[in-house]
Amino acid sequence: MNTNQAFREDVLEAVSDLSYEELNQKISDDKWTIMQVLEHLYLMEEMIVARVWHQLQNGEDKPAEKKQFLFNLEK
């Protein structure tokens, strides 16, 4: 089984017992719901796969620009 499929299954198993209300509960105005995080993961994977497929089909080889990543625990 590939890594992405295993990750998907782990994520879905982790939330499988949650109700609709729990998945969509907002713990504060500046935090995402579980469902919003799941949708974000889905959309990002879809975009990345489409981009890789496009580059493979067109023979493009463009290195990604490195961007600074900041992780703030104070949020």
Side-chain angles (χ1 to χ4, degrees):
M1 180 182 313
N2 72 43
T3 304
N4 286 343
Q5 183 64 31
F7 176 76
R8 273 187 225 102
E9 289 178 9
D10 289 346
V11 169
L12 292 175
E13 183 179 337
V15 300
S16 65
D17 292 332
L18 298 177
S19 69
Y20 177 86
E21 289 77 19
E22 290 170 316
L23 289 169
N24 290 287
Q25 181 181 5
K26 206 140 163 85
I27 59 171
S28 71
D29 289 339
D30 63 338
K31 304 288 183 203
W32 285 10
T33 66
I34 294 169
M35 188 60 80
Q36 288 171 320
V37 171
L38 294 173
E39 181 182 28
H40 176 73
L41 292 172
Y42 166 77
L43 293 172
M44 290 303 300
E45 180 181 3
E46 188 176 65
M47 188 262 322
I48 290 167
V49 168
R51 187 73 172 145
V52 168
W53 182 86
H54 175 76
Q55 289 184 344
L56 290 172
Q57 295 299 314
N58 294 299
E60 296 178 24
D61 185 13
K62 295 181 184 177
E65 177 185 329
K66 293 194 178 206
K67 297 180 181 178
Q68 186 177 9
F69 177 76
L70 299 174
F71 186 69
N72 185 351
L73 296 174
E74 298 299 319
K75 286 188 174 184

